[in-house]
Amino acid sequence: MNPLAAAAYRAAPIWTQNLLLSLYGWKLERERYGGRYQEFRERLEQQQWQSHDQIVAWQEERLRAIVAHAYEHVPYYRRIFDERKLTPADVRTTADLGKLPLLTKADIRQHFDDLRSRTVPAARLKTGHTSGTTGTPLTVGYDDATVWMTYAVFDRHYQWAGASLANPPDRIAVARGNVIVPLAQRRPPFWRMNRAQNQLMLSSFHLSKANLPAYFEALREFRPAVMDGYPSTLYVLAKYLQNRGETFPVRTVISSSETLYDFQRAVIEERFCCRMFDYYAAAERVVFSGECDRHEGHHVAMEYGLAEVVDESGQPLPAGTEGRLVGTSLHNMAMPLLRYVTSDWSAIEPHRCSCGRGLQVMADVTTKAEDLLTLADGRLISPSVLTHPFKPLDCIEGSQIVQTARDAVEVRLIPGPAYTDAHTRHLVSELQARLGDDVRIEVRMVEALENAPNGKFKWVTSHVPLGV
Ligand SMILES: [Zn+2]
């Protein structure tokens, strides 16, 4: 939503907000489930049961098509190939991929326009913003086929979980990062209804001991078949049930976007009385993976992207060894991303899943461990929802959030050359919209960001004890 639309939404009465959300939902439905969506969905249904070798052969055919397109129409890749004296004939199989350099976030920021296929005019390129929990925002370009394929893969994951996202959708309760309920609102409803997608959207910004009973009243009335959210948010809901000795049975729970810890899974599965189906979707649309009903790891959606795991120097690691996850899109002709380095860690497992699907199995993905914020009014804020204000600001080169007190948050920034005071104002107002006006937000420009005592970078740190 653009800032003007967001301001109009905030000012509207609740029934209008429900209507606006539903209209937005219908718009998304049309974009996601039109065009070649159905064709992709049917192909995915059938391909997953092919043998592993057949799927690899198909992947390599797509890889050759993407590489040929990149060489022909993408100035960045023409240069990379020429410098290395390569032609598309040199990159024909997954084993050849190592001839190409890794593509980093910094490369995309620096060469954004040169990475655009000349077959797509700049004005027609769709763009998506990512931030993840690295605190470094990034914009990537993609085309319609990438959108249809992404939703076809999502829908397949939902089906693995015994649920349906479309045609017709199940009743789904969603607890993710969008600001759907203005913070100034102190009384229920802390949720809105998206009728187009049959979703009860729960605010992730009003979760406090005082408000949780109202959330569960709404959930009991809505009777969702599916809970879908960040592990940290689902955990807050499950913990509340546990503390009261209650359960809230649903058919299935779907989680993503953060590391799902075993202790979270145990409480969530026990309190929602079903299994969880975690998935991982790199926001740059290069890798997707998810659990099937055997829960023997994540299946890589090999028809979507090609996954590699590499060490710090970029060398491919053997099966079973954990390293940095690298992805190559097999669909995005508008901005082919070859060997894109994600911020996440995993391992490709040597075994296949007992379900019989030919898709590779990947270990659970670890994104970095971040802290939840505990605010003065008792609300708990998931680190994932804090990524949203940063996403459009790709003039920021690095960031870090430190909660120093219940009502004080410090944002440390490494600004890029295009960064101005207007960006600071935007950031503060977007954070304030999520944390509340009574939280002091101080933005401090720094030369470098600090690492945690274990030497790892941590994007969100809170010095306030967690109050569940
Ligand atoms: Zn399986």
Side-chain angles (χ1 to χ4, degrees), residues 3 8 20 46 58 60 96 111 130 134 147 156 181 190-191 203 232 270 274 309 346 393 397 403 424 430 443 451:
L20 289 171
Q46 177 230 333
W58 185 88
E60 293 186 337
D96 294 330
H111 304 287
T130 77
T134 57
V147 177
R156 183 172 70 180
V181 176
F190 303 115
W191 45 86
S203 168
S232 56
E270 181 187 85
C274 62
V309 172
S346 189
L393 302 179
E397 289 182 0
Q403 183 179 27
T424 302
E430 289 294 308
V443 176
N451 281 338

Short mmCIF file of all heavy atoms in Angstrom, two decimals, residues 3 8 20 46 58 60 96 111 130 134 147 156 181 190-191 203 232 270 274 309 346 393 397 403 424 430 443 451:
data_model
loop_
_atom_site.label_atom_id
_atom_site.label_comp_id
_atom_site.label_asym_id
_atom_site.label_seq_id
_atom_site.Cartn_x
_atom_site.Cartn_y
_atom_site.Cartn_z
N PRO A 3 1.82 5.27 0.86
CA PRO A 3 1.60 5.98 2.11
C PRO A 3 0.26 6.70 2.17
O PRO A 3 -0.40 6.74 3.21
CB PRO A 3 2.75 7.00 2.15
CG PRO A 3 3.78 6.46 1.21
CD PRO A 3 3.06 5.66 0.19
N ALA A 8 -5.21 6.91 4.42
CA ALA A 8 -6.68 6.88 4.23
C ALA A 8 -7.25 5.66 4.95
O ALA A 8 -8.30 5.74 5.60
CB ALA A 8 -7.01 6.83 2.74
N LEU A 20 -12.06 -2.26 2.37
CA LEU A 20 -10.83 -1.96 1.64
C LEU A 20 -9.91 -3.19 1.59
O LEU A 20 -9.33 -3.49 0.56
CB LEU A 20 -10.08 -0.78 2.29
CG LEU A 20 -10.74 0.59 2.10
CD1 LEU A 20 -10.03 1.64 2.96
CD2 LEU A 20 -10.72 1.02 0.64
N GLN A 46 1.82 -32.62 -10.79
CA GLN A 46 2.27 -33.84 -11.43
C GLN A 46 3.78 -34.01 -11.25
O GLN A 46 4.25 -35.11 -10.94
CB GLN A 46 1.85 -33.71 -12.90
CG GLN A 46 2.25 -34.81 -13.81
CD GLN A 46 2.91 -34.24 -15.06
OE1 GLN A 46 2.64 -33.11 -15.48
NE2 GLN A 46 3.79 -35.02 -15.64
N TRP A 58 14.64 -31.66 -15.98
CA TRP A 58 13.75 -30.53 -16.29
C TRP A 58 14.37 -29.21 -15.81
O TRP A 58 14.38 -28.21 -16.52
CB TRP A 58 12.38 -30.75 -15.63
CG TRP A 58 11.39 -29.70 -16.01
CD1 TRP A 58 10.55 -29.72 -17.09
CD2 TRP A 58 11.15 -28.46 -15.33
NE1 TRP A 58 9.81 -28.57 -17.12
CE2 TRP A 58 10.15 -27.77 -16.06
CE3 TRP A 58 11.67 -27.86 -14.19
CZ2 TRP A 58 9.66 -26.53 -15.67
CZ3 TRP A 58 11.19 -26.62 -13.82
CH2 TRP A 58 10.20 -25.96 -14.55
N GLU A 60 17.48 -28.49 -15.45
CA GLU A 60 18.63 -28.10 -16.27
C GLU A 60 18.19 -27.54 -17.62
O GLU A 60 18.84 -26.65 -18.17
CB GLU A 60 19.60 -29.29 -16.40
CG GLU A 60 20.21 -29.60 -15.02
CD GLU A 60 21.29 -30.67 -15.04
OE1 GLU A 60 21.31 -31.49 -15.97
OE2 GLU A 60 22.11 -30.67 -14.09
N ASP A 96 27.79 -27.12 -13.76
CA ASP A 96 28.48 -26.00 -14.42
C ASP A 96 28.28 -24.67 -13.69
O ASP A 96 28.93 -23.68 -14.01
CB ASP A 96 27.97 -25.82 -15.86
CG ASP A 96 28.32 -27.00 -16.75
OD1 ASP A 96 29.36 -27.64 -16.49
OD2 ASP A 96 27.55 -27.28 -17.69
N HIS A 111 23.98 -2.80 -9.53
CA HIS A 111 23.79 -3.00 -10.98
C HIS A 111 22.32 -3.24 -11.32
O HIS A 111 22.03 -3.95 -12.27
CB HIS A 111 24.61 -4.21 -11.44
CG HIS A 111 26.07 -4.09 -11.13
ND1 HIS A 111 26.91 -3.24 -11.80
CD2 HIS A 111 26.83 -4.71 -10.19
CE1 HIS A 111 28.14 -3.35 -11.30
NE2 HIS A 111 28.11 -4.22 -10.31
N THR A 130 12.51 -6.31 -0.21
CA THR A 130 12.81 -7.29 0.83
C THR A 130 13.68 -6.63 1.87
O THR A 130 14.32 -5.63 1.62
CB THR A 130 13.60 -8.49 0.27
OG1 THR A 130 14.97 -8.09 0.11
CG2 THR A 130 13.07 -8.96 -1.05
N THR A 134 18.32 -8.96 7.89
CA THR A 134 19.69 -8.51 7.76
C THR A 134 19.75 -7.01 7.94
O THR A 134 20.82 -6.45 8.11
CB THR A 134 20.25 -8.83 6.37
OG1 THR A 134 19.40 -8.21 5.41
CG2 THR A 134 20.29 -10.31 6.12
N VAL A 147 5.24 -14.36 -10.56
CA VAL A 147 4.13 -14.23 -9.59
C VAL A 147 3.25 -15.47 -9.64
O VAL A 147 2.94 -16.07 -8.61
CB VAL A 147 3.28 -12.97 -9.89
CG1 VAL A 147 2.09 -12.88 -8.94
CG2 VAL A 147 4.14 -11.72 -9.80
N ARG A 156 0.54 -25.31 -3.50
CA ARG A 156 0.92 -26.71 -3.32
C ARG A 156 1.32 -26.96 -1.87
O ARG A 156 0.98 -27.98 -1.28
CB ARG A 156 2.04 -27.10 -4.27
CG ARG A 156 2.38 -28.59 -4.12
CD ARG A 156 3.34 -29.08 -5.18
NE ARG A 156 4.68 -28.52 -4.99
CZ ARG A 156 5.72 -28.79 -5.79
NH1 ARG A 156 5.54 -29.59 -6.84
NH2 ARG A 156 6.90 -28.27 -5.57
N VAL A 181 -4.69 -2.87 11.84
CA VAL A 181 -5.46 -2.21 12.90
C VAL A 181 -4.62 -1.05 13.42
O VAL A 181 -3.49 -1.25 13.87
CB VAL A 181 -5.77 -3.19 14.06
CG1 VAL A 181 -6.49 -2.48 15.19
CG2 VAL A 181 -6.57 -4.38 13.54
N PHE A 190 -9.15 -6.23 17.30
CA PHE A 190 -7.76 -6.13 16.85
C PHE A 190 -7.56 -7.02 15.62
O PHE A 190 -6.53 -7.67 15.47
CB PHE A 190 -6.81 -6.58 17.96
CG PHE A 190 -6.99 -5.80 19.23
CD1 PHE A 190 -7.43 -6.42 20.39
CD2 PHE A 190 -6.71 -4.44 19.26
CE1 PHE A 190 -7.60 -5.70 21.56
CE2 PHE A 190 -6.88 -3.71 20.43
CZ PHE A 190 -7.33 -4.35 21.58
N TRP A 191 -8.57 -7.08 14.78
CA TRP A 191 -8.52 -7.93 13.59
C TRP A 191 -9.43 -7.31 12.54
O TRP A 191 -10.25 -6.46 12.85
CB TRP A 191 -8.99 -9.36 13.91
CG TRP A 191 -10.24 -9.33 14.73
CD1 TRP A 191 -11.52 -9.25 14.28
CD2 TRP A 191 -10.32 -9.31 16.17
NE1 TRP A 191 -12.40 -9.18 15.33
CE2 TRP A 191 -11.69 -9.22 16.50
CE3 TRP A 191 -9.37 -9.36 17.19
CZ2 TRP A 191 -12.14 -9.18 17.82
CZ3 TRP A 191 -9.82 -9.31 18.49
CH2 TRP A 191 -11.19 -9.23 18.79
N SER A 203 -4.06 -8.56 14.06
CA SER A 203 -2.98 -7.59 14.22
C SER A 203 -1.84 -8.23 15.02
O SER A 203 -2.07 -8.83 16.06
CB SER A 203 -3.48 -6.35 14.96
OG SER A 203 -2.37 -5.56 15.36
N SER A 232 7.12 -16.76 15.86
CA SER A 232 7.14 -16.01 17.13
C SER A 232 5.73 -15.56 17.53
O SER A 232 5.39 -15.54 18.70
CB SER A 232 8.08 -14.81 17.03
OG SER A 232 7.72 -13.99 15.95
N GLU A 270 0.94 -28.65 20.31
CA GLU A 270 0.15 -29.16 21.43
C GLU A 270 -1.13 -28.33 21.63
O GLU A 270 -2.21 -28.86 21.82
CB GLU A 270 1.02 -29.10 22.69
CG GLU A 270 0.34 -29.61 23.93
CD GLU A 270 1.24 -29.34 25.15
OE1 GLU A 270 1.16 -28.22 25.70
OE2 GLU A 270 2.00 -30.23 25.51
N CYS A 274 -2.58 -29.99 16.32
CA CYS A 274 -2.32 -30.49 14.96
C CYS A 274 -0.84 -30.33 14.66
O CYS A 274 -0.10 -29.78 15.48
CB CYS A 274 -3.14 -29.69 13.94
SG CYS A 274 -2.70 -27.96 13.92
N VAL A 309 24.06 -25.00 -1.64
CA VAL A 309 24.57 -24.60 -0.32
C VAL A 309 26.08 -24.44 -0.47
O VAL A 309 26.75 -25.35 -0.97
CB VAL A 309 24.21 -25.64 0.76
CG1 VAL A 309 24.90 -25.34 2.06
CG2 VAL A 309 22.69 -25.66 0.97
N SER A 346 21.28 -23.40 5.50
CA SER A 346 20.63 -24.70 5.48
C SER A 346 21.61 -25.73 4.96
O SER A 346 22.79 -25.43 4.76
CB SER A 346 19.37 -24.66 4.61
OG SER A 346 18.63 -25.86 4.78
N LEU A 393 13.21 1.21 1.68
CA LEU A 393 14.33 2.15 1.82
C LEU A 393 15.65 1.53 1.38
O LEU A 393 16.54 1.29 2.20
CB LEU A 393 14.42 2.64 3.26
CG LEU A 393 13.17 3.33 3.81
CD1 LEU A 393 13.37 3.75 5.25
CD2 LEU A 393 12.79 4.54 2.96
N GLU A 397 22.19 1.21 3.84
CA GLU A 397 23.15 0.14 3.58
C GLU A 397 23.22 -0.89 4.69
O GLU A 397 23.67 -2.01 4.47
CB GLU A 397 24.52 0.73 3.26
CG GLU A 397 24.45 1.37 1.90
CD GLU A 397 25.73 1.98 1.40
OE1 GLU A 397 26.75 1.91 2.11
OE2 GLU A 397 25.67 2.54 0.30
N GLN A 403 16.46 -2.35 21.57
CA GLN A 403 15.50 -1.85 22.55
C GLN A 403 16.25 -1.67 23.87
O GLN A 403 16.75 -2.63 24.44
CB GLN A 403 14.33 -2.82 22.74
CG GLN A 403 13.31 -2.24 23.72
CD GLN A 403 12.10 -3.13 23.95
OE1 GLN A 403 12.19 -4.34 23.82
NE2 GLN A 403 11.00 -2.52 24.32
N THR A 424 14.51 9.44 7.17
CA THR A 424 14.44 9.28 8.63
C THR A 424 13.01 9.51 9.10
O THR A 424 12.48 8.74 9.90
CB THR A 424 15.38 10.27 9.34
OG1 THR A 424 16.71 10.06 8.86
CG2 THR A 424 15.36 10.08 10.85
N GLU A 430 6.78 5.22 10.31
CA GLU A 430 6.34 3.84 10.08
C GLU A 430 6.59 2.96 11.32
O GLU A 430 5.80 2.07 11.63
CB GLU A 430 7.08 3.24 8.87
CG GLU A 430 6.65 3.83 7.55
CD GLU A 430 5.20 3.50 7.21
OE1 GLU A 430 4.83 2.32 7.26
OE2 GLU A 430 4.43 4.44 6.93
N VAL A 443 16.94 7.66 15.94
CA VAL A 443 17.69 7.14 14.79
C VAL A 443 19.11 7.69 14.87
O VAL A 443 19.31 8.90 14.99
CB VAL A 443 17.02 7.56 13.47
CG1 VAL A 443 17.86 7.10 12.28
CG2 VAL A 443 15.61 6.98 13.39
N ASN A 451 28.47 -6.46 16.33
CA ASN A 451 28.15 -7.88 16.38
C ASN A 451 27.84 -8.30 17.81
O ASN A 451 28.31 -7.68 18.76
CB ASN A 451 29.29 -8.72 15.83
CG ASN A 451 29.31 -8.71 14.31
OD1 ASN A 451 28.28 -8.43 13.68
ND2 ASN A 451 30.46 -8.98 13.74
#
